[in-house]
Amino acid sequence: MSDSALAPARDLLARGAPQAAREWLQANPPRPGDAAEHAFLLGVCQLQAGQPRLAVAPLEHCLALDPSHINAANALATALHLQGNNARACQVLRLCLEYRPAAGECLLNLGRLLEMDGDHAGAMAAYGRVPAATPALSFPAGLRHATLLSRMGQTEDALALLRTLTPEPADELRTLRQLQGEILLAAGRAPEAEALLAGATDARQQLLWGMALAAQARWEPARTALGEAWERAPGERRHWTNPLTGQAFGPAPLPSPLQCFTGYHRQQVGRGEWAQRQTFARESAAYPLAPTATDWHSAFALFSAPLAPAVRRRLADRWADALLAAMPPATTLPQPRARHDGTLRIAYLSPDFGDHAMGHCLRSFCRHHDRRRCHITLYADSRDDGSEVRRQLRREADAFTEVYGLSDGDLEQRMARDGIQILVDLAGYTRGGRPRLARRPGSPLKVLYQGYPGTLGRGLADYALVDRHVCPPGSEAHWAEALIRLPDSFFLLDSEAPAVPLLEAAELGAPAAPVVFACFNQTWKVDAQAMALWQAVLAAVPEAVLWLHAETPAVAAALTRRAAEAGIGATRLHFSPGTTRPRYLARYRHVHAVLDTPLYHGHGTGADALGMGTPVLSLQGEGFQARVGGSLVRALGLPQLAAESAEAYVATAIRLGRDEAWRQALAADIRRGCATDGPLGTRRRVRQLEQAYARIWQHHRAGLAPASCAVEGGTATEDEEKTA
């Protein structure tokens, strides 16, 4: 069989028929001289069929026969990447490059893999070698290189690199202009992006133009540009990437001007542009356009703006009204299947059942539900990420159902068939949420819990699970939902998490200082108030340093400038980017205390620190999001870590820095409180949740409207406060 004799298999692959191609190859064994190419095509068949695991063996066989086979190396790297093995994929590409140093496609793919793994220097080196190796790939390599420079905050270098490229076809020219616009938008240079893209006729560029207009609160022209762009390319838009988030728009509906505005300004305040916060808050609160069914995507970004709880409630009501008005016509829900065991059928819905902060919090909670009282269904509204967290949740739930891609109507039909009585929404107005789900007659009762720190607005949920600290008496006016106040804290964390590796400070890039304060919150939570508090603490504890999270050197540089303005020298700060969860948790062993951000407390990060026995100090604010830290430590019997004033925050932080014996005593109390049966333990919290669900269902069975109540010591008692 000659190489040309393999043409039928190639033709079948080109026509998208991998199964037929594989059958042809299996029916036509290779001759010795064709064995490598034959094995390569078998591997491609498996890749095209969505079976990367099965593609590995034939592709490895091909490379064993011909180590310089460029296409096989790239295909094998792809198969390994799809299985999460980027390290091995990089090895494959590097080995091929030893035989074929001018293999530009291998260099390009190597750069992409290194970029994904956070090796930015290695990625840029790989991209930089492409033009000399394969001049025909100079343009795509330059685009990737410039994109990475932009993400690293090196905007001018990225734009300068793009100016050196020579696009030839019209498509390349459009792509170049588009990337220039994306880089300017991502850098907070909306006026320049607008000038570059004004009058664009290409749909993607027009979308970016609309986003640039929205970023400047030019609402009407932004709405027009966004709408026209969305209508021009219905088949392409699902593949477009939002330059402000790095996420694909996917099948989502038209982004609203408010959504673009909030995404832009949240990104900028996360880079230290704090002067924009007041404009951000003012323009968002006064948004003049009629609400649309996509405005709710702005909700979480707005927590980076200083809005009063009453304003957040008003905005949420507007979003809820728009969502309900746009709801498709009602369909008849099927009758639930008969149940004879007397258990409550509870479903938890989340897009984060996996390697995500929410997934880690919930990791072991299913095993503690009393199956005599509750039947637990998990509706996983995301693709399987292959994580151990997802596998454990799947094993321990009574039912684990993949619902990603289902419409709201189809999911409501599924819940009805499953006989769900109470739906616990763990997403709310966060990415991947379904806020208007379960609002039809016959739908289960809907309970908002943990994932979103605020109300969904009128008509979208029946209850919210909170506690007396995050929602003190009088806060009912800021919620459309009836409030169920749990004892201790509302927060559910995993008190049975896997052991964290013992790693030395140097291995983790920890600062070498006698006292290490830390805050690993996302940088959009840091503001001028936080910097002022930290300055006062560091001035009083001269041997201390502050360890902060910063995803890129540019963000670290911006925070260093802001710190200098507050009087904090650069030597008092230490920055680290994100890392794997085990290494992130191991960092807390080298932290003496966490100094939380007042604007928005560390919710998952605060719970993580406490789970590692590290004291967390927070200043209590006005809204739910600024009171979670206090909820956690008060549940542990440590109210001194929930400061009610800036003066108390600074004084307590100074004591944490100076009094080692007190820190050790606090750490011991924290570890006891985070044990399985402690005040923050998983078993205890699940029992309280079950009491809340029983109370909710009892109230519903009595024909009563949702009403606020408190769960106390395993029983539910009516709140003395009136329900709003």
Side-chain angles (χ1 to χ4, degrees):
M1 184 188 300
S2 66
D3 184 64
S4 61
L6 297 173
R10 292 197 184 91
D11 181 60
L12 289 166
L13 285 169
R15 289 191 280 122
Q19 177 66 21
R22 184 170 64 85
E23 291 172 356
W24 187 93
L25 289 165
Q26 290 173 336
N28 293 272
R31 293 178 180 177
D34 303 319
E37 191 67 14
H38 190 279
F40 164 67
L41 292 174
L42 276 173
V44 173
C45 290
Q46 300 291 9
L47 266 182
Q48 278 197 13
Q51 298 288 339
R53 184 178 60 83
L54 299 179
V56 170
L59 292 170
E60 286 182 335
H61 180 56
C62 171
L63 288 169
L65 297 171
D66 180 4
S68 66
H69 198 302
I70 295 173
N71 290 336
N74 285 310
L76 178 55
T78 299
L80 292 166
H81 162 66
L82 291 173
Q83 297 173 79
N85 194 348
N86 281 4
R88 172 68 179 132
C90 289
Q91 289 176 354
V92 168
L93 293 172
R94 287 190 173 109
L95 181 61
C96 184
L97 285 164
E98 290 181 11
Y99 290 91
R100 303 284 290 273
E105 190 173 348
C106 286
L107 285 167
L108 195 55
N109 287 332
L110 177 62
R112 288 171 176 158
L113 291 168
L114 292 171
E115 186 177 343
M116 291 175 198
D117 284 352
D119 183 357
H120 297 149
M124 287 192 281
Y127 294 144
R129 288 173 55 191
V130 172
T134 311
L137 293 177
S138 296
F139 187 76
L143 296 181
R144 291 299 315 172
H145 197 165
T147 300
L148 178 55
L149 286 168
S150 171
R151 289 176 181 164
M152 296 291 291
Q154 300 176 42
T155 303
E156 290 303 330
D157 291 341
L159 294 172
L161 175 57
L162 291 179
R163 287 193 290 270
T164 68
L165 302 181
T166 53
E168 294 179 3
D171 285 348
E172 287 189 353
L173 184 59
R174 282 195 297 270
T175 301
L176 179 62
R177 190 181 185 203
Q178 171 190 314
L179 183 55
Q180 288 171 325
E182 290 177 352
I183 288 173
L184 289 168
L185 264 179
R189 293 159 63 170
E192 293 175 66
E194 179 202 345
L196 174 72
L197 300 164
T201 56
D202 172 78
R204 174 64 173 151
Q205 291 181 29
Q206 191 171 24
L207 175 73
L208 296 171
W209 180 37
M211 295 178 74
L213 291 166
Q216 301 169 78
R218 294 172 61 187
W219 305 121
E220 287 290 356
R223 177 166 61 181
T224 300
L226 291 169
E228 290 179 358
W230 215 243
E231 291 302 318
R232 277 184 172 173
E236 298 174 27
R237 65 195 189 200
R238 67 185 297 113
H239 304 295
W240 291 347
T241 299
N242 185 336
L244 303 177
T245 64
Q247 303 287 335
F249 283 107
L254 168 70
S256 74
L258 181 62
Q259 183 182 347
C260 297
F261 175 83
T262 55
Y264 176 86
H265 284 276
R266 171 177 162 172
Q267 185 179 70
Q268 297 319 303
V269 298
R271 291 177 172 174
E273 299 298 329
W274 298 338
Q276 297 187 23
R277 285 191 196 271
Q278 293 303 324
T279 300
F280 186 7
R282 183 179 64 253
E283 294 287 355
S284 300
Y287 183 61
L289 301 184
T292 71
T294 60
D295 281 346
W296 69 268
H297 291 284
S298 310
F300 196 75
L302 278 171
F303 281 107
S304 56
L307 293 174
V311 175
R312 295 190 192 280
R313 168 68 195 271
R314 176 170 58 80
L315 291 172
D317 283 342
R318 283 168 54 90
W319 302 329
D321 290 345
L323 281 166
L324 293 171
M327 184 177 285
T331 56
T332 302
L333 297 177
Q335 289 295 316
R337 61 191 180 197
R339 299 184 307 277
H340 305 289
D341 56 5
T343 59
L344 263 178
R345 299 188 79 85
I346 312 294
Y348 292 85
L349 171 69
S350 176
D352 301 318
F353 289 141
D355 187 13
H356 181 276
M358 177 63 74
H360 289 286
C361 286
L362 301 175
R363 183 177 184 130
S364 62
F365 88 114
C366 282
R367 72 176 65 153
H368 293 295
H369 265 299
D370 185 348
R371 296 316 203 268
R372 297 167 300 178
R373 305 174 67 183
C374 300
H375 178 282
I376 302 302
T377 296
L378 301 186
Y379 289 130
D381 203 7
S382 59
R383 292 188 177 92
D384 188 347
D385 64 355
S387 65
E388 175 55 32
V389 173
R390 194 170 181 109
R391 287 192 291 271
Q392 181 172 337
L393 289 168
R394 186 189 300 275
R395 287 194 304 268
E396 296 182 358
D398 295 311
F400 187 97
T401 305
E402 309 273 358
V403 299
Y404 180 74
L406 291 185
S407 68
D408 284 359
D410 288 342
L411 181 49
E412 287 168 344
Q413 295 274 333
R414 177 62 191 248
M415 288 191 294
R417 289 195 299 272
D418 290 345
I420 301 303
Q421 295 162 298
I422 296 176
L423 174 68
V424 184
D425 181 356
L426 296 169
Y429 280 147
T430 61
R431 184 170 59 86
R434 295 178 184 252
R436 69 180 177 193
L437 188 71
R439 293 293 84 195
R440 303 187 188 283
S443 293
L445 292 169
K446 185 174 176 182
V447 178
L448 183 64
Y449 183 48
Q450 187 142 323
Y452 179 73
T455 182
L456 297 186
R458 55 178 162 247
L460 288 184
D462 301 297
Y463 291 92
L465 296 173
V466 298
D467 63 52
R468 290 186 182 275
H469 185 76
V470 291
C471 289
S475 57
E476 285 82 0
H478 305 143
W479 292 78
E481 301 81 5
L483 301 181
I484 304 292
R485 290 183 170 92
L486 301 178
D488 305 324
S489 171
F490 79 98
F491 203 92
L492 174 63
L493 56 81
D494 182 15
S495 56
E496 301 170 16
V500 176
L502 289 168
L503 298 173
E504 296 297 326
E507 294 180 77
L508 296 167
V515 177
V516 177
F517 293 118
C519 182
F520 297 142
N521 294 351
Q522 295 181 64
T523 52
W524 61 262
K525 299 180 182 181
V526 181
D527 63 0
Q529 183 184 23
M531 278 295 180
L533 293 170
W534 294 342
Q535 187 278 331
V537 174
L538 293 174
V541 189
E543 67 274 24
V545 298
L546 179 61
W547 191 3
L548 298 173
H549 165 81
E551 202 56 51
T552 67
V555 171
L559 289 177
T560 300
R561 287 194 300 272
R562 292 303 183 197
E565 293 169 4
I568 302 174
T571 59
R572 308 297 302 281
L573 300 177
H574 186 86
F575 295 98
S576 291
T579 185
T580 62
R581 182 167 177 82
R583 291 178 64 84
Y584 150 70
L585 292 174
R587 288 174 175 174
Y588 285 113
R589 289 202 178 98
H590 305 282
V591 171
H592 295 96
V594 169
L595 303 183
D596 212 345
T597 45
L599 177 71
Y600 189 116
H601 291 178
H603 298 185
T605 52
D608 289 338
L610 292 171
M612 292 297 295
T614 305
V616 177
L617 172 65
S618 60
L619 175 60
Q620 308 316 292
E622 186 179 13
F624 184 116
Q625 79 285 352
R627 300 184 66 80
V628 171
S631 167
L632 291 166
V633 296
R634 283 178 175 275
L636 295 171
L638 302 173
Q640 61 270 48
L641 296 179
E644 295 292 345
S645 68
E647 294 77 13
Y649 181 101
V650 172
T652 304
I654 292 171
R655 185 182 177 191
L656 285 167
R658 293 176 175 173
D659 192 337
E660 182 178 358
W662 187 50
R663 284 200 312 266
Q664 291 178 350
L666 289 173
D669 289 340
I670 290 167
R671 291 190 182 95
R672 283 192 294 271
C674 290
T676 298
D677 290 309
L680 288 183
T682 306
R683 181 182 294 130
R684 180 160 167 163
R685 186 70 66 252
V686 169
R687 288 291 172 267
Q688 293 166 354
L689 290 173
E690 289 173 347
Q691 291 293 329
Y693 300 148
R695 179 69 181 90
I696 288 169
W697 189 246
Q698 178 187 16
H699 204 76
H700 174 71
R701 289 284 301 273
L704 301 174
S708 295
C709 71
V711 175
E712 300 287 358
T715 62
T717 59
E718 293 295 331
D719 266 352
E720 295 180 357
E721 306 90 18
K722 292 183 179 179
T723 303

